[in-house]
Amino acid sequence: MGAGYTRTANASTGVATRTTTHCPYCALQCGMDIVRVEDGPVSIEPRAFAGRQGLCQKGWTAAELLDHPERLTQPLLRSGPDEGLRPASWDDALDRVATAIRTCWERHGRERVGVFGGGGLTNEKAYALGKFARIVLRTPFIDYNGRFCMSSAATAVQRAFGIDRGLPFPLEDISQTGALLLVGSNLAETLPTAISLLDDLVGHGGPLIVADPRATATARRATVHLQLAPGTDLALANGLLHIAIREGLIDDDYIAARTSGFERVHQRVLAYWPDRVERITGVAVTDMRRAVHLLAEADSAMVLTARGPEQQRQGTDTVQAFINLALALGLPGRPLSGYGPLTGQGNGQGGREHGQKADQLPGYRKITDPAAREHVGSIWGVDPDSLPGEGVSAYDMLDAMGAEDGVRALIVAGSNVAVSAPNANHVIERMKALDFLCVLDAFRSETAELADVVLPVAQWAEEDGTMTNIEGRVILRRAAGPPPPGVRRELEVLSELAGRLGAPQHAFPTRPEEVFDELARASAGGKADYSGITYDTLVPDGAFWPFPEGGEETPRLFEDRFAFADGRARFLAVSHRPAAEKPDGDFPLSLTTGRIVEHYQSGTQTRRTPQLANAHPDALIELHPVLARQHDIEEGDLVWLASRRGRAAGRARVTPDIRIDTLFMPFHWGGDGSANLLTNPALDPSSRMPEFKHCAVRIDGVEPGDPRRPPTP
Ligand code: SF4
């Protein structure tokens, strides 16, 4: 029994087992204890972790997933295209997967089996999945849903600072900074317990500036709300920098000492004079000026960005534009100051560090780097030349499924792509064109419903493992008990499959701690160096990477230098381009997508949690009262939207908090309620992140919430 696991006698309830662990959901990874009373219920209590304590409703209700009646406890097999899924033994299911992979190899070549992972998988599972793809399947085709979540920020941060760790400082710094610009983050709903940081900031008089097309619960706390049109963030950032330069607010000494490339940026932002930016963004010049002065005149300040600026076809450049602003104001690397991206998924950060991304090997190494291949090949005991090259990004892989040059068989772990990928109708069609689809999940998700084989796997509280949270802090999750009978852990499944496919099974250990020790060695010398970390190091508050063997953790980056040979951060000149799809006569409105507090990602877990599902049983669509009146829509009506790719429906939430020309639809539901039936898969050229934040739609029908009202055509 490891650290963090205690048994206590309780006079009223009998013997209780208390496991110290973390929430299964978002990137904050709040601390929690799972309390199991012998022969009694499982409950969750908040636990102090790294100076914070508290859970949102998702954390509080997470235990409901453990004994859930819809839990998969047997593998499922489909015998033929017109057959349904039926229960099967593990041996039959694993044999079927191995046979299908071998058949695919014979018919289409070794590389045509793909792997699709998830940003909720532990570091150990992400690492094992990458290793399995490279040395068992020997395929370049592996990527994960983090590509949809944060890859633009990751790309921009690498370009500007030379390293991507999420926040380069501890979360607590946010509450103490002098002024904060928060761009495209409804933190109150997406990282709920972190809202206390903003409340502390505002409480001590620090101005909060929020850039968001919606007057969200976060924006309503703001000193200044920059309510920009969707897809215009880059123009806003360049406009703010233009004002800062013109009004003498930039830090010339910092720019000279710690950066390169400012002159070109200076020239570029000359074209973003305030009146022009007001016309592009809809943000008043007075508000822009006020925001810049508040940021520049504070003793310390931060710029934080999230999905808003990232999920655009110019997401990488948009994030760069805000980094340019932060650099010009002299913020990165200064006390209580800097730029940081806000990760969304539980292990969105660690998930992109250890090899489940198409271009990466463990330790945030590039798979195209000969030295990286040599090092990782030596840890894996394989010839570096046998490692495949760089694959393609998540949507590129999904788009080509079943095609001549695409994957013909796919293994999906920890992801519900049928709901979370853009242009969902097309992705589902491509999934049906595969020769074989295998899904590893705890529940029968929309993607599992399309599979040939579904393998029931453990949930977060049923296995040990590490996650890397929003701050780049590696934390340890402990198992509170074994998985239910019939359920296996992903590490066991990969080991079994490796054996069946002719690889040495011992190369795939099933004990998470053993996998972590290997991951740490594989990461040694890489950007994300975990080689000084062991499971013991992570108790009680985790450890910030880089943490080299024999060294120390690194809570704050960039204090002395940035991660380039010359130590300087990079400015990069970037220009605004409109969204890929402009509203027009056929599709006159803008749709933006996002999250709400009760649900998480594609809703596979939270839609099955009664308290959360009851709060929002149906998909919803936010629209302005004026737009609602124009279409005779009342609160609760079922509104159908159409884009060039499909139709989707949700219950109307009529609110003045949104722009008149814009609709908001969260992406947590499947079926007709899937926002991604509408979204545009236009990809950022660098990060390959889809443009979830903007597409053109029309209102395509209304069914009254009150059945006595007639439908509106
Ligand atoms: Fe879990 Fe995030 Fe809620 Fe914390 S804020 S309890 S990590 S979902």
Side-chain angles (χ1 to χ4, degrees):
M1 210 171 280
Y5 195 89
T6 56
R7 289 168 74 83
T8 54
N10 180 311
S12 58
T13 56
V15 176
T17 307
R18 178 178 291 272
T19 306
T20 296
T21 189
H22 295 265
C23 175
Y25 295 115
C26 83
L28 292 176
Q29 289 293 291
C30 297
M32 60 167 55
D33 281 352
I34 299 178
V35 183
R36 259 180 203 276
V37 178
E38 213 164 86
D39 299 324
V42 181
S43 61
I44 282 183
E45 295 176 6
R47 173 180 64 84
F49 160 64
R52 303 189 299 280
Q53 179 158 356
L55 300 171
C56 73
Q57 49 269 66
K58 291 193 286 290
W60 275 111
T61 55
E64 292 182 29
L65 296 169
L66 294 173
D67 302 318
H68 198 283
E70 291 177 47
R71 186 70 193 278
L72 289 173
T73 54
Q74 255 190 304
L76 302 172
L77 282 188
R78 192 186 306 279
S79 313
D82 301 322
E83 305 289 327
L85 288 164
R86 59 174 176 77
S89 71
W90 269 98
D91 270 343
D92 285 353
L94 290 169
D95 285 346
R96 172 83 182 278
V97 178
T99 303
I101 290 171
R102 285 185 185 282
T103 306
C104 185
W105 286 345
E106 283 160 19
R107 286 192 188 152
H108 306 293
R110 189 88 193 190
E111 296 194 337
R112 294 291 173 243
V113 182
V115 176
F116 199 101
L121 298 175
T122 61
N123 289 320
E124 291 80 354
K125 290 194 269 191
Y127 170 82
L129 211 54
K131 182 178 176 183
F132 181 83
R134 272 62 179 247
I135 73 170
V136 178
L137 300 177
R138 285 196 249 146
T139 179
F141 290 112
I142 175 167
D143 215 65
Y144 80 126
N145 65 14
R147 187 74 75 162
F148 301 154
C149 186
M150 219 195 144
S151 53
S152 289
T155 308
V157 167
Q158 292 261 29
R159 249 173 23 182
F161 302 128
I163 195 168
D164 156 42
R165 195 194 72 176
L167 292 179
F169 39 69
L171 266 173
E172 283 68 30
D173 285 10
I174 295 173
S175 63
Q176 296 168 49
T177 190
L180 173 61
L181 169 59
L182 186 63
V183 187
S185 167
N186 182 12
L187 188 137
E189 298 208 46
T190 56
L191 300 165
T193 61
I195 198 66
S196 63
L197 300 169
L198 302 195
D199 289 340
D200 288 350
L201 168 75
V202 173
H204 73 61
L208 170 65
I209 305 142
V210 173
D212 198 308
R214 301 163 55 221
T216 62
T218 310
R220 286 197 290 274
R221 286 169 161 84
T223 319
V224 182
H225 177 201
L226 309 173
Q227 194 165 12
L228 73 173
T232 64
D233 309 58
L234 196 159
L236 176 69
N238 279 359
L240 296 176
L241 182 51
H242 178 108
I243 293 169
I245 294 170
R246 199 170 73 177
E247 304 197 10
L249 298 169
I250 60 172
D251 188 334
D252 294 314
D253 292 343
Y254 176 98
I255 292 168
R258 300 208 57 186
T259 71
S260 64
F262 177 68
E263 262 318 303
R264 290 196 61 193
V265 171
H266 185 177
Q267 292 304 315
R268 186 70 55 91
V269 301
L270 287 176
Y272 291 81
W273 61 92
D275 290 342
R276 177 181 175 227
V277 174
E278 179 176 317
R279 281 197 299 279
I280 297 171
T281 63
V283 176
V285 173
T286 47
D287 286 341
M288 286 189 270
R289 286 196 65 236
R290 189 161 169 231
V292 175
H293 278 268
L294 287 171
L295 269 184
E297 288 163 7
D299 290 342
S300 54
M302 287 181 184
V303 178
L304 303 178
T305 63
R307 302 302 82 73
E310 287 178 49
Q311 289 177 329
Q312 302 183 23
R313 69 158 175 160
Q314 55 179 351
T316 304
D317 284 353
T318 303
V319 172
Q320 177 72 49
F322 285 100
I323 291 173
N324 289 342
L325 176 66
L327 287 171
L329 297 177
L331 305 180
R334 286 247 174 94
L336 301 177
S337 296
Y339 162 81
L342 297 169
T343 320
Q345 292 194 77
N347 201 27
Q349 184 62 42
R352 67 171 177 274
E353 295 169 358
H354 299 295
Q356 66 171 334
K357 201 158 166 258
D359 57 349
Q360 272 176 9
L361 288 173
Y364 226 134
R365 289 182 158 91
K366 292 290 287 179
I367 200 165
T368 48
D369 174 7
R373 296 168 68 88
E374 184 80 35
H375 171 75
V376 175
S378 73
I379 301 287
W380 289 351
V382 300
D383 178 352
D385 291 339
S386 71
L387 295 174
E390 183 172 341
V392 299
S393 79
Y395 187 78
D396 290 306
M397 178 161 63
L398 298 175
D399 185 34
M401 283 184 294
E404 205 47 50
D405 57 348
V407 299
R408 307 297 294 248
L410 185 69
I411 298 172
V412 178
S415 191
N416 186 10
V417 281
V419 175
S420 61
N423 196 11
N425 276 331
H426 174 68
V427 167
I428 291 167
E429 281 311 307
R430 296 318 312 162
M431 233 179 297
K432 289 177 181 168
L434 287 167
D435 296 351
F436 179 74
L437 174 64
C438 171
V439 172
L440 284 66
D441 208 319
F443 294 98
R444 216 163 144 157
S445 68
E446 285 80 358
T447 308
E449 291 293 349
L450 300 169
D452 298 290
V453 175
V454 183
L455 301 175
V457 290
Q459 297 192 75
W460 98 107
E462 297 159 355
E463 57 190 340
D464 289 347
T466 61
M467 309 283 279
T468 303
N469 81 352
I470 193 168
E471 310 159 281
R473 187 197 296 261
V474 187
I475 54 119
L476 180 59
R477 277 186 185 166
R478 282 298 194 189
V487 171
R488 294 191 185 178
R489 300 179 172 106
E490 275 108 328
L491 294 177
E492 296 164 359
V493 173
L494 293 177
S495 186
E496 286 281 340
L497 282 176
R500 278 171 165 79
L501 291 167
Q505 224 172 314
H506 65 77
F508 289 88
T510 57
R511 225 168 44 83
E513 192 165 0
E514 201 178 329
V515 178
F516 184 85
D517 289 345
E518 184 185 307
L519 174 162
R521 282 187 289 119
S523 76
K527 284 182 179 173
D529 190 334
Y530 283 35
S531 59
I533 302 176
T534 65
Y535 271 20
D536 289 340
T537 328
L538 299 179
V539 178
D541 281 341
F544 292 90
W545 72 259
F547 193 152
E549 189 174 10
E552 292 182 345
E553 66 172 329
T554 316
R556 290 179 177 80
L557 300 173
F558 314 139
E559 287 176 318
D560 303 315
R561 55 186 285 109
F562 296 96
F564 292 110
D566 62 5
R568 288 172 177 268
R570 306 299 197 246
F571 278 97
L572 207 78
V574 288
S575 298
H576 167 72
R577 284 177 299 148
E581 197 174 60
K582 282 193 200 156
D584 58 18
D586 292 334
F587 300 97
L589 297 165
S590 293
L591 175 74
T592 188
T593 66
R595 309 171 198 219
I596 58 172
V597 67
E598 290 87 359
H599 287 291
Y600 180 70
Q601 298 292 95
S602 71
T604 302
Q605 296 142 298
T606 51
R607 282 187 275 129
R608 289 178 167 85
T609 304
Q611 279 188 52
L612 303 176
N614 291 342
H616 279 293
D618 301 321
L620 66 93
I621 293 171
E622 267 187 21
L623 73 168
H624 193 275
V626 171
L627 188 61
R629 267 198 305 280
Q630 286 169 359
H631 291 268
D632 194 20
I633 294 168
E634 292 184 6
E635 181 85 14
D637 285 354
L638 189 70
V639 178
W640 283 90
L641 301 181
S643 75
R644 288 184 175 80
R645 291 153 296 280
R647 295 176 84 232
R651 295 278 163 204
R653 181 198 269 176
V654 181
T655 169
D657 295 341
I658 193 162
R659 293 168 54 99
I660 292 172
D661 57 2
T662 302
L663 300 138
F664 169 70
M665 188 170 186
F667 63 88
H668 307 298
W669 291 271
D672 289 341
S674 171
N676 279 318
L677 295 168
L678 304 164
T679 49
N680 187 358
L683 301 179
D684 178 280
S686 306
S687 69
R688 311 301 287 164
M689 191 173 197
E691 191 160 61
F692 290 106
K693 288 299 180 201
H694 187 271
C695 70
V697 295
R698 67 167 174 256
I699 293 174
D700 204 41
V702 182
E703 296 172 29
D706 177 348
R708 289 163 301 187
R709 285 180 57 230
T712 305

